[in-house]
Amino acid sequence: MNLEPEVLVIGAGPAGLSAAAEMARLGVQDVIVVDRETDAGGMPRYCSHATFGLAQFWRPMSGPAYAAKMCSMVDTRLIRTATTVTRLGLDLETTISSERGEAVLKPRHVLLATGIRETPRSALLVSGERPSNILTTGALQRILAEGRGLPFRRPLIVGTELVSFSALLSLREGGARAVAMTEPGDRITARRPADLLARLVMGTPILYGATVVRINASANNAGRLASVTISRTDGSSEVVECDAVVFTGRFIPEASLLGANSDLQDPGSRGPAIDQRWRLGAPGIYAAGNLLRPVETAGWCAAEGRAAGASIAADIATPLSQRGRRIPIATNNPIAFTTPSYITTGETGSDQLRLGVRMSRAARGCFVLSADGKPLWRSPVMSALPERRILLLPSLPDLSRIDEFQLHLEPGED
Protein backbone atom coordinates (compact mmCIF):
# COMPACT_ATOMS: atom_id res chain seq x y z
CA MET A 1 0.00 0.00 0.00
CA ASN A 2 1.19 3.48 -0.87
CA LEU A 3 1.55 5.31 2.46
CA GLU A 4 1.41 8.73 0.81
CA PRO A 5 -1.53 8.56 -1.63
CA GLU A 6 -2.91 11.59 -3.39
CA VAL A 7 -6.40 10.86 -2.03
CA LEU A 8 -7.66 8.69 0.81
CA VAL A 9 -11.38 7.88 0.68
CA ILE A 10 -12.77 6.72 4.02
CA GLY A 11 -15.88 4.63 3.39
CA ALA A 12 -16.64 2.22 0.54
CA GLY A 13 -20.37 2.84 0.24
CA PRO A 14 -22.15 4.54 -2.69
CA ALA A 15 -20.58 7.96 -2.01
CA GLY A 16 -17.01 6.75 -1.50
CA LEU A 17 -17.02 4.34 -4.45
CA SER A 18 -18.60 6.92 -6.79
CA ALA A 19 -16.00 9.49 -5.75
CA ALA A 20 -13.14 7.06 -6.44
CA ALA A 21 -14.60 6.12 -9.83
CA GLU A 22 -15.05 9.77 -10.80
CA MET A 23 -11.51 10.70 -9.78
CA ALA A 24 -10.15 7.79 -11.83
CA ARG A 25 -12.19 8.99 -14.82
CA LEU A 26 -10.68 12.46 -14.41
CA GLY A 27 -7.13 11.13 -14.26
CA VAL A 28 -6.51 10.93 -10.51
CA GLN A 29 -5.03 7.45 -10.17
CA ASP A 30 -3.33 7.55 -6.78
CA VAL A 31 -6.45 6.87 -4.69
CA ILE A 32 -6.97 4.44 -1.81
CA VAL A 33 -10.43 3.51 -0.46
CA VAL A 34 -10.68 2.02 3.03
CA ASP A 35 -13.69 0.56 4.83
CA ARG A 36 -14.06 -1.16 8.19
CA GLU A 37 -16.50 -3.74 6.80
CA THR A 38 -15.20 -7.00 5.32
CA ASP A 39 -16.84 -6.21 1.95
CA ALA A 40 -17.26 -2.98 0.03
CA GLY A 41 -20.63 -1.62 -1.07
CA GLY A 42 -22.07 -0.06 2.06
CA MET A 43 -25.46 -0.67 3.59
CA PRO A 44 -27.20 -1.59 0.29
CA ARG A 45 -25.50 -5.01 0.64
CA TYR A 46 -28.00 -5.84 3.36
CA CYS A 47 -31.19 -4.64 1.62
CA SER A 48 -32.68 -7.36 -0.56
CA HIS A 49 -35.68 -5.42 -1.89
CA ALA A 50 -35.39 -3.97 -5.41
CA THR A 51 -35.42 -0.26 -4.60
CA PHE A 52 -31.94 0.64 -5.88
CA GLY A 53 -30.30 1.56 -9.17
CA LEU A 54 -33.11 3.28 -11.04
CA ALA A 55 -31.58 6.78 -10.94
CA GLN A 56 -28.08 5.59 -11.93
CA PHE A 57 -28.51 2.44 -13.97
CA TRP A 58 -32.07 2.90 -15.27
CA ARG A 59 -33.37 -0.34 -13.80
CA PRO A 60 -34.52 -1.52 -10.37
CA MET A 61 -31.92 -3.58 -8.55
CA SER A 62 -31.68 -5.36 -5.22
CA GLY A 63 -29.29 -3.87 -2.70
CA PRO A 64 -26.61 -6.57 -3.13
CA ALA A 65 -26.78 -6.29 -6.94
CA TYR A 66 -26.50 -2.51 -6.71
CA ALA A 67 -23.53 -2.74 -4.32
CA ALA A 68 -21.77 -5.20 -6.65
CA LYS A 69 -22.34 -2.84 -9.59
CA MET A 70 -20.88 0.06 -7.62
CA CYS A 71 -17.83 -2.01 -6.65
CA SER A 72 -17.25 -2.97 -10.29
CA MET A 73 -16.72 0.72 -11.10
CA VAL A 74 -13.53 0.87 -8.99
CA ASP A 75 -10.27 -1.04 -9.41
CA THR A 76 -10.45 -3.58 -6.59
CA ARG A 77 -6.71 -3.18 -5.97
CA LEU A 78 -7.47 0.30 -4.63
CA ILE A 79 -9.96 -0.89 -1.99
CA ARG A 80 -8.84 -2.01 1.47
CA THR A 81 -11.68 -3.58 3.47
CA ALA A 82 -11.60 -4.76 7.11
CA THR A 83 -9.55 -1.61 7.70
CA THR A 84 -10.52 0.86 10.41
CA VAL A 85 -9.38 4.47 10.54
CA THR A 86 -8.61 5.19 14.19
CA ARG A 87 -7.33 8.73 13.82
CA LEU A 88 -7.49 11.58 11.32
CA GLY A 89 -5.36 14.61 12.08
CA LEU A 90 -5.95 18.10 10.77
CA ASP A 91 -2.59 17.69 9.01
CA LEU A 92 -4.27 14.68 7.23
CA GLU A 93 -1.98 12.17 8.92
CA THR A 94 -4.22 9.11 9.22
CA THR A 95 -3.80 6.01 11.37
CA ILE A 96 -5.40 2.81 10.08
CA SER A 97 -5.70 -0.61 11.71
CA SER A 98 -6.30 -4.00 10.11
CA GLU A 99 -5.25 -7.64 10.49
CA ARG A 100 -1.95 -6.58 8.91
CA GLY A 101 -1.35 -4.30 11.86
CA GLU A 102 -1.29 -0.55 12.23
CA ALA A 103 -0.06 1.91 9.63
CA VAL A 104 0.14 5.67 9.23
CA LEU A 105 -0.89 7.23 5.92
CA LYS A 106 -0.03 10.74 4.79
CA PRO A 107 -2.49 11.55 2.01
CA ARG A 108 -2.71 14.97 0.41
CA HIS A 109 -6.51 14.91 0.31
CA VAL A 110 -9.09 13.00 2.39
CA LEU A 111 -12.74 12.36 1.55
CA LEU A 112 -15.00 11.37 4.44
CA ALA A 113 -17.80 9.08 3.23
CA THR A 114 -18.46 7.22 6.47
CA GLY A 115 -22.27 7.36 6.40
CA ILE A 116 -24.59 7.16 9.38
CA ARG A 117 -25.76 4.91 12.19
CA GLU A 118 -29.16 4.44 13.77
CA THR A 119 -29.92 5.56 17.30
CA PRO A 120 -30.15 2.45 19.52
CA ARG A 121 -32.39 1.86 22.50
CA SER A 122 -29.78 3.05 24.99
CA ALA A 123 -29.53 6.51 23.42
CA LEU A 124 -33.34 6.78 23.35
CA LEU A 125 -33.43 6.19 27.13
CA VAL A 126 -36.07 3.45 26.91
CA SER A 127 -36.25 1.81 30.33
CA GLY A 128 -37.18 -1.70 31.42
CA GLU A 129 -35.66 -5.16 31.19
CA ARG A 130 -33.07 -6.36 28.70
CA PRO A 131 -34.52 -9.41 26.96
CA SER A 132 -33.37 -10.68 23.57
CA ASN A 133 -34.67 -9.51 20.18
CA ILE A 134 -34.06 -5.77 20.67
CA LEU A 135 -32.40 -4.55 17.49
CA THR A 136 -32.04 -1.83 14.85
CA THR A 137 -32.92 -1.95 11.16
CA GLY A 138 -29.27 -2.51 10.30
CA ALA A 139 -29.04 -5.51 12.62
CA LEU A 140 -32.28 -6.91 11.17
CA GLN A 141 -31.00 -6.62 7.61
CA ARG A 142 -27.68 -8.22 8.54
CA ILE A 143 -29.47 -11.26 9.99
CA LEU A 144 -31.44 -11.69 6.77
CA ALA A 145 -28.41 -11.09 4.52
CA GLU A 146 -26.45 -13.77 6.36
CA GLY A 147 -29.24 -16.28 5.75
CA ARG A 148 -30.16 -16.66 9.39
CA GLY A 149 -33.83 -17.14 10.22
CA LEU A 150 -35.58 -14.52 12.33
CA PRO A 151 -36.03 -15.71 15.93
CA PHE A 152 -39.34 -13.84 16.20
CA ARG A 153 -42.62 -13.42 14.30
CA ARG A 154 -44.51 -10.49 15.88
CA PRO A 155 -42.15 -7.51 16.20
CA LEU A 156 -43.00 -3.89 16.90
CA ILE A 157 -41.32 -1.14 14.83
CA VAL A 158 -40.33 2.11 16.53
CA GLY A 159 -40.45 5.02 14.07
CA THR A 160 -42.02 5.95 10.73
CA GLU A 161 -39.05 7.21 8.73
CA LEU A 162 -38.33 5.82 5.27
CA VAL A 163 -36.01 3.24 6.83
CA SER A 164 -38.87 2.13 9.10
CA PHE A 165 -40.85 1.02 6.07
CA SER A 166 -37.74 -0.64 4.70
CA ALA A 167 -37.68 -2.62 7.95
CA LEU A 168 -41.33 -3.50 7.38
CA LEU A 169 -40.47 -4.97 3.96
CA SER A 170 -37.44 -6.80 5.38
CA LEU A 171 -39.61 -8.37 8.08
CA ARG A 172 -42.05 -9.65 5.48
CA GLU A 173 -39.17 -11.20 3.53
CA GLY A 174 -38.08 -12.93 6.74
CA GLY A 175 -41.55 -14.33 7.41
CA ALA A 176 -42.53 -11.91 10.20
CA ARG A 177 -45.27 -9.29 10.38
CA ALA A 178 -45.06 -6.23 12.59
CA VAL A 179 -47.85 -5.89 15.13
CA ALA A 180 -47.60 -2.09 14.95
CA MET A 181 -45.44 0.93 14.19
CA THR A 182 -45.16 3.79 16.71
CA GLU A 183 -44.94 7.49 15.85
CA PRO A 184 -44.75 10.27 18.50
CA GLY A 185 -46.32 12.81 16.13
CA ASP A 186 -49.64 12.97 14.32
CA ARG A 187 -48.25 12.02 10.90
CA ILE A 188 -45.60 9.68 9.56
CA THR A 189 -42.12 11.10 9.03
CA ALA A 190 -41.72 9.45 5.61
CA ARG A 191 -43.78 10.53 2.64
CA ARG A 192 -47.19 9.16 1.98
CA PRO A 193 -48.41 6.68 0.78
CA ALA A 194 -45.98 4.74 2.98
CA ASP A 195 -48.64 4.74 5.71
CA LEU A 196 -51.07 3.09 3.29
CA LEU A 197 -48.42 0.46 2.48
CA ALA A 198 -48.18 -0.38 6.17
CA ARG A 199 -51.89 -0.44 6.95
CA LEU A 200 -53.52 -1.74 3.78
CA VAL A 201 -50.81 -3.92 2.20
CA MET A 202 -48.87 -5.17 5.21
CA GLY A 203 -51.71 -5.17 7.73
CA THR A 204 -49.67 -3.19 10.25
CA PRO A 205 -51.38 -0.34 12.13
CA ILE A 206 -49.54 2.90 12.90
CA LEU A 207 -49.98 4.15 16.46
CA TYR A 208 -49.82 7.95 16.35
CA GLY A 209 -48.95 10.06 19.37
CA ALA A 210 -47.21 7.02 20.81
CA THR A 211 -43.74 6.65 22.35
CA VAL A 212 -42.20 3.41 23.60
CA VAL A 213 -41.08 4.07 27.18
CA ARG A 214 -40.46 0.60 28.60
CA ILE A 215 -39.42 -2.89 27.49
CA ASN A 216 -41.13 -5.70 29.40
CA ALA A 217 -39.74 -9.23 29.70
CA SER A 218 -41.82 -12.33 30.30
CA ALA A 219 -42.65 -12.98 33.94
CA ASN A 220 -41.59 -16.60 33.51
CA ASN A 221 -38.49 -15.97 31.37
CA ALA A 222 -36.49 -12.77 31.84
CA GLY A 223 -34.65 -13.42 28.57
CA ARG A 224 -37.81 -13.40 26.47
CA LEU A 225 -39.55 -10.20 25.38
CA ALA A 226 -43.25 -10.08 26.24
CA SER A 227 -44.44 -6.54 25.52
CA VAL A 228 -43.68 -2.83 25.46
CA THR A 229 -45.31 -0.01 27.37
CA ILE A 230 -46.37 2.93 25.23
CA SER A 231 -47.00 6.47 26.46
CA ARG A 232 -49.62 8.51 24.60
CA THR A 233 -49.62 12.27 24.08
CA ASP A 234 -52.93 12.51 25.97
CA GLY A 235 -51.19 11.18 29.09
CA SER A 236 -52.52 7.64 28.88
CA SER A 237 -50.43 4.50 28.49
CA GLU A 238 -50.97 1.01 27.12
CA VAL A 239 -49.16 -2.29 26.80
CA VAL A 240 -48.60 -3.83 23.36
CA GLU A 241 -47.64 -7.48 23.18
CA CYS A 242 -44.77 -8.33 20.81
CA ASP A 243 -41.79 -10.67 20.60
CA ALA A 244 -39.22 -8.17 19.21
CA VAL A 245 -38.62 -4.44 18.95
CA VAL A 246 -36.94 -2.87 15.93
CA PHE A 247 -35.67 0.66 16.63
CA THR A 248 -35.46 2.50 13.32
CA GLY A 249 -34.07 5.80 12.09
CA ARG A 250 -33.06 8.86 14.10
CA PHE A 251 -29.80 8.59 12.23
CA ILE A 252 -26.55 10.04 13.53
CA PRO A 253 -23.73 11.03 11.15
CA GLU A 254 -20.67 8.81 11.59
CA ALA A 255 -18.44 11.85 12.09
CA SER A 256 -16.39 10.65 15.05
CA LEU A 257 -13.14 11.08 13.09
CA LEU A 258 -13.58 14.83 13.43
CA GLY A 259 -13.09 14.33 17.17
CA ALA A 260 -13.36 17.45 19.28
CA ASN A 261 -13.03 19.79 16.29
CA SER A 262 -16.50 21.25 16.72
CA ASP A 263 -15.72 24.06 14.27
CA LEU A 264 -15.66 21.43 11.51
CA GLN A 265 -19.18 20.21 12.36
CA ASP A 266 -22.62 21.60 11.69
CA PRO A 267 -24.49 21.86 15.03
CA GLY A 268 -27.79 21.10 13.30
CA SER A 269 -26.83 17.98 11.33
CA ARG A 270 -24.01 16.92 13.70
CA GLY A 271 -22.10 16.02 10.55
CA PRO A 272 -19.29 17.83 8.69
CA ALA A 273 -19.85 21.48 7.84
CA ILE A 274 -18.97 21.77 4.14
CA ASP A 275 -18.93 24.53 1.55
CA GLN A 276 -20.39 24.32 -1.96
CA ARG A 277 -17.33 22.37 -3.14
CA TRP A 278 -17.64 19.66 -0.44
CA ARG A 279 -14.69 21.09 1.53
CA LEU A 280 -14.44 21.31 5.30
CA GLY A 281 -12.76 24.17 7.13
CA ALA A 282 -9.53 22.15 7.42
CA PRO A 283 -7.52 22.23 4.16
CA GLY A 284 -7.58 19.00 2.20
CA ILE A 285 -10.60 17.40 3.92
CA TYR A 286 -13.85 16.84 2.03
CA ALA A 287 -17.10 15.03 2.85
CA ALA A 288 -20.02 13.55 0.91
CA GLY A 289 -22.91 11.17 1.38
CA ASN A 290 -25.20 10.46 4.27
CA LEU A 291 -22.91 11.70 7.02
CA LEU A 292 -23.76 15.22 5.79
CA ARG A 293 -27.45 14.88 6.61
CA PRO A 294 -29.39 11.82 7.63
CA VAL A 295 -30.71 10.31 5.51
CA GLU A 296 -30.70 10.15 1.69
CA THR A 297 -31.04 7.44 -0.94
CA ALA A 298 -28.05 5.47 -2.20
CA GLY A 299 -28.43 7.08 -5.63
CA TRP A 300 -28.36 10.58 -4.17
CA CYS A 301 -25.28 9.73 -2.08
CA ALA A 302 -23.57 8.33 -5.20
CA ALA A 303 -24.29 11.59 -7.04
CA GLU A 304 -22.76 13.55 -4.17
CA GLY A 305 -19.73 11.28 -4.24
CA ARG A 306 -19.23 11.96 -7.95
CA ALA A 307 -19.50 15.71 -7.36
CA ALA A 308 -17.04 15.58 -4.46
CA GLY A 309 -14.63 13.47 -6.53
CA ALA A 310 -14.80 16.03 -9.33
CA SER A 311 -14.12 18.83 -6.84
CA ILE A 312 -11.07 17.04 -5.46
CA ALA A 313 -9.77 16.36 -8.98
CA ALA A 314 -10.19 20.04 -9.85
CA ASP A 315 -8.33 21.13 -6.71
CA ILE A 316 -5.50 18.72 -7.56
CA ALA A 317 -5.28 20.04 -11.09
CA THR A 318 -5.38 23.68 -10.02
CA PRO A 319 -4.21 24.03 -6.41
CA LEU A 320 -5.56 27.05 -4.58
CA SER A 321 -2.86 29.56 -3.75
CA GLN A 322 -5.18 31.20 -1.25
CA ARG A 323 -8.58 30.01 -0.17
CA GLY A 324 -11.49 32.47 -0.18
CA ARG A 325 -13.56 33.48 2.81
CA ARG A 326 -16.10 31.01 4.20
CA ILE A 327 -19.44 32.74 4.64
CA PRO A 328 -21.74 30.86 7.05
CA ILE A 329 -25.43 30.19 6.39
CA ALA A 330 -27.38 30.75 9.60
CA THR A 331 -30.80 29.16 10.13
CA ASN A 332 -33.51 29.18 12.76
CA ASN A 333 -36.40 26.92 13.71
CA PRO A 334 -38.15 25.15 11.96
CA ILE A 335 -35.14 24.90 9.60
CA ALA A 336 -32.75 22.43 11.20
CA PHE A 337 -29.73 22.97 8.93
CA THR A 338 -28.58 23.42 5.34
CA THR A 339 -26.11 21.59 3.13
CA PRO A 340 -23.71 23.24 2.45
CA SER A 341 -23.23 25.13 5.71
CA TYR A 342 -20.87 27.70 4.19
CA ILE A 343 -20.27 29.47 0.89
CA THR A 344 -16.62 30.00 -0.07
CA THR A 345 -15.87 33.13 -2.07
CA GLY A 346 -13.76 33.19 -5.20
CA GLU A 347 -15.13 29.96 -6.72
CA THR A 348 -15.59 29.78 -10.49
CA GLY A 349 -19.21 29.14 -11.45
CA SER A 350 -20.50 29.61 -7.90
CA ASP A 351 -23.22 32.09 -8.84
CA GLN A 352 -25.81 29.28 -8.67
CA LEU A 353 -26.15 27.52 -5.32
CA ARG A 354 -27.66 24.07 -4.69
CA LEU A 355 -28.88 24.42 -1.14
CA GLY A 356 -30.29 21.34 0.60
CA VAL A 357 -32.60 22.10 3.51
CA ARG A 358 -33.80 19.88 6.32
CA MET A 359 -36.63 20.75 8.72
CA SER A 360 -36.96 20.09 12.45
CA ARG A 361 -40.76 19.84 12.09
CA ALA A 362 -43.48 20.05 9.47
CA ALA A 363 -44.13 23.58 8.24
CA ARG A 364 -45.25 25.59 5.23
CA GLY A 365 -44.66 29.12 4.06
CA CYS A 366 -41.91 30.86 2.11
CA PHE A 367 -38.14 30.35 2.31
CA VAL A 368 -36.27 33.65 2.45
CA LEU A 369 -32.51 33.92 1.91
CA SER A 370 -30.99 37.09 3.28
CA ALA A 371 -27.48 38.52 3.43
CA ASP A 372 -26.54 40.53 6.50
CA GLY A 373 -30.24 41.06 7.20
CA LYS A 374 -31.28 42.13 3.67
CA PRO A 375 -33.66 39.75 1.79
CA LEU A 376 -32.14 38.51 -1.49
CA TRP A 377 -34.31 35.61 -2.67
CA ARG A 378 -37.66 33.99 -1.88
CA SER A 379 -39.25 30.64 -2.68
CA PRO A 380 -42.68 29.43 -1.48
CA VAL A 381 -43.12 25.87 -0.23
CA MET A 382 -46.45 24.10 0.15
CA SER A 383 -45.28 21.52 2.67
CA ALA A 384 -41.85 21.07 4.24
CA LEU A 385 -41.47 17.84 6.20
CA PRO A 386 -38.51 16.64 8.32
CA GLU A 387 -37.47 13.76 6.04
CA ARG A 388 -38.41 15.37 2.74
CA ARG A 389 -35.67 16.40 0.33
CA ILE A 390 -35.89 20.17 -0.14
CA LEU A 391 -33.56 21.65 -2.73
CA LEU A 392 -33.34 25.41 -3.19
CA LEU A 393 -31.54 27.02 -6.14
CA PRO A 394 -30.91 30.67 -5.24
CA SER A 395 -28.60 32.83 -7.33
CA LEU A 396 -25.72 34.29 -5.36
CA PRO A 397 -24.98 38.01 -5.31
CA ASP A 398 -21.55 39.62 -5.18
CA LEU A 399 -20.00 37.96 -2.13
CA SER A 400 -17.24 40.48 -1.49
CA ARG A 401 -19.21 42.45 1.11
CA ILE A 402 -21.26 39.67 2.67
CA ASP A 403 -20.37 38.34 6.13
CA GLU A 404 -23.30 35.96 6.73
CA PHE A 405 -26.28 34.47 4.93
CA GLN A 406 -29.52 33.81 6.82
CA LEU A 407 -32.20 31.37 5.72
CA HIS A 408 -35.55 31.44 7.45
CA LEU A 409 -39.13 30.36 6.75
CA GLU A 410 -41.86 32.94 6.73
CA PRO A 411 -44.77 30.91 8.11
CA GLY A 412 -47.80 30.26 5.98
CA GLU A 413 -51.11 28.61 6.71
CA ASP A 414 -50.49 25.33 8.57
Side-chain angles (χ1 to χ4, degrees):
M1 179 190 296
N2 180 9
L3 297 181
E4 297 186 1
E6 184 69 56
V7 184
L8 173 65
V9 178
I10 305 175
L17 293 173
S18 292
E22 181 68 4
M23 285 186 280
R25 189 184 71 83
L26 295 172
V28 183
Q29 300 297 329
D30 192 6
V31 178
I32 294 175
V33 183
V34 299
D35 196 288
R36 65 186 178 189
E37 296 286 330
T38 54
D39 296 290
M43 285 308 298
R45 292 180 298 124
Y46 301 107
C47 304
S48 59
H49 35 275
T51 55
F52 298 86
L54 198 57
Q56 289 170 264
F57 306 118
W58 306 101
R59 65 180 187 274
M61 307 170 70
S62 70
Y66 174 82
K69 179 71 172 177
M70 296 297 297
C71 290
S72 71
M73 298 164 52
V74 180
D75 186 339
T76 56
R77 294 172 296 180
L78 305 178
I79 303 174
R80 298 287 188 273
T81 55
T83 300
T84 301
V85 176
T86 57
R87 178 185 175 276
L88 171 64
L90 296 184
D91 59 357
L92 306 191
E93 186 172 278
T94 308
T95 304
I96 63 172
S97 177
S98 70
E99 62 180 9
R100 306 178 188 91
E102 194 171 83
V104 176
L105 306 183
K106 296 182 179 180
R108 288 175 281 282
H109 302 80
V110 171
L111 172 64
L112 294 172
T114 45
I116 49 177
R117 65 181 186 274
E118 288 177 288
T119 300
R121 169 195 177 176
S122 57
L124 296 173
L125 304 179
V126 178
S127 67
E129 285 84 20
R130 297 185 176 275
S132 59
N133 298 339
I134 308 297
L135 63 165
T136 62
T137 312
L140 167 67
Q141 291 172 337
R142 284 173 184 265
I143 291 173
L144 294 172
E146 292 168 2
R148 292 184 281 157
L150 295 179
F152 50 81
R153 287 294 176 266
R154 302 177 59 255
L156 177 132
I157 296 176
V158 178
T160 61
E161 297 178 36
L162 183 60
V163 70
S164 311
F165 295 94
S166 176
L168 196 63
L169 291 171
S170 296
L171 287 168
R172 183 175 70 170
E173 293 165 5
R177 189 172 78 173
V179 297
M181 303 176 76
T182 61
E183 166 54 51
D186 58 2
R187 64 194 300 173
I188 62 171
T189 303
R191 293 189 183 191
R192 298 196 71 188
D195 53 341
L196 300 181
L197 167 72
R199 185 163 48 89
L200 300 180
V201 179
M202 312 294 285
T204 299
I206 299 176
L207 309 180
Y208 294 99
T211 301
V212 174
V213 295
R214 181 178 173 82
I215 304 292
N216 306 310
S218 169
N220 300 323
N221 184 352
R224 184 171 66 85
L225 176 64
S227 64
V228 298
T229 302
I230 290 175
S231 174
R232 294 283 196 169
T233 52
D234 63 4
S236 64
S237 63
E238 63 182 279
V239 174
V240 178
E241 294 183 355
C242 57
D243 60 0
V245 178
V246 183
F247 288 94
T248 68
R250 297 198 183 187
F251 288 102
I252 302 169
E254 191 60 85
S256 57
L257 287 175
L258 298 180
N261 299 299
S262 58
D263 56 324
L264 300 181
Q265 296 177 275
D266 186 295
S269 69
R270 298 166 65 183
I274 61 166
D275 70 3
Q276 73 272 32
R277 294 288 302 278
W278 314 94
R279 306 187 193 104
L280 276 70
I285 304 180
Y286 304 71
N290 266 336
L291 85 160
L292 296 178
R293 68 24 240 118
V295 59
E296 263 295 354
T297 63
W300 188 268
C301 292
E304 289 189 343
R306 287 193 297 274
S311 181
I312 295 171
D315 288 349
I316 292 171
T318 309
L320 296 175
S321 57
Q322 185 174 0
R323 190 175 278 200
R325 291 186 302 116
R326 286 167 61 88
I327 304 173
I329 304 173
T331 63
N332 55 22
N333 196 46
I335 300 173
F337 57 90
T338 66
T339 306
S341 311
Y342 292 86
I343 303 300
T344 298
T345 62
E347 294 292 339
T348 303
S350 63
D351 57 332
Q352 182 70 64
L353 175 64
R354 287 170 55 89
L355 190 62
V357 177
R358 286 299 170 100
M359 309 297 291
S360 59
R361 60 174 173 82
R364 62 179 61 191
C366 185
F367 286 109
V368 180
L369 182 68
S370 305
D372 299 328
K374 181 184 296 185
L376 300 173
W377 179 87
R378 303 167 65 88
S379 177
V381 60
M382 291 298 296
S383 180
L385 300 175
E387 202 178 56
R388 180 165 295 180
R389 180 189 301 156
I390 303 171
L391 186 63
L392 306 181
L393 301 171
S395 296
L396 294 180
D398 177 13
L399 302 178
S400 60
R401 298 185 179 181
I402 293 176
D403 295 318
E404 181 184 75
F405 285 104
Q406 303 92 31
L407 183 70
H408 70 278
L409 186 76
E410 290 184 350
E413 215 175 287
D414 203 8

